[in-house]
Amino acid sequence: MSPVTDIARPDDRPWWMSAVCYEIYVRSFADSDGSEEGDLAGVREHLDYLEWLGVDALWLCPFFR
């Protein structure tokens, strides 16, 4: 199929071809414990907002201590 045909029939495409992906650098996204450094708990606290925005998938950048 050509790309034009694929666009005309979005239901046949894999989910990721039309998904909204949001990249998060955890250490600067949200701080849940007042340490001034983002953490996974901070990301979890904002999942409802990301869902409201229409985000389908998250890409978490690697982070290390």
Side-chain angles (χ1 to χ4, degrees):
M1 284 189 192
S2 70
V4 173
T5 305
D6 290 344
I7 292 172
R9 299 174 57 200
D11 295 337
D12 293 341
R13 294 185 300 174
W15 70 270
W16 50 266
M17 291 188 76
S18 61
V20 174
C21 297
Y22 191 83
E23 182 177 4
I24 292 177
Y25 182 63
V26 176
R27 291 180 69 181
S28 64
F29 182 74
D31 175 24
S32 68
D33 60 5
S35 66
E36 297 184 7
E37 185 173 296
D39 47 39
L40 289 175
V43 173
R44 282 194 306 266
E45 289 175 359
H46 291 83
L47 289 178
D48 57 340
Y49 177 67
L50 294 170
E51 181 182 22
W52 179 82
L53 287 175
V55 173
D56 298 307
L58 292 178
W59 178 283
L60 300 179
C61 291
F63 61 97
F64 307 96
R65 270 208 180 275

